[in-house]
Amino acid sequence: MPTICKHVWGWFLRLNAKRSRSEMGASPITYADIWFFCDLEGIRMQSWEINLIERFDIVALEEWS
């Protein structure tokens, strides 16, 4: 993974650990989840970072299904 993306991977792993799960499977990480995470951590994500988290999430959900 390119060095410029490693911090986003770390954010994704932290969001992933707190995602909602049910008998139906894992729920996608929402914008509200990202906003709350950023608010708690004092982070201001750029749009490419949010897009990358969304891509990581899509791949993770596809692997789990």
Side-chain angles (χ1 to χ4, degrees), residues 6-55:
K6 286 185 179 184
H7 68 286
V8 181
W9 179 247
W11 293 339
F12 170 74
L13 291 177
R14 291 179 63 198
L15 285 160
N16 180 55
K18 300 297 181 187
R19 83 166 66 235
S20 297
R21 291 180 171 85
S22 70
E23 294 175 8
M24 300 295 289
S27 298
I29 294 171
T30 67
Y31 288 126
D33 296 329
I34 295 170
W35 176 83
F36 191 68
F37 173 76
C38 288
D39 189 51
L40 283 174
E41 297 295 322
I43 298 169
R44 178 155 171 87
M45 288 186 191
Q46 297 179 32
S47 60
W48 72 267
E49 294 167 320
I50 295 169
N51 291 337
L52 189 53
I53 287 173
E54 290 175 319
R55 289 181 183 186

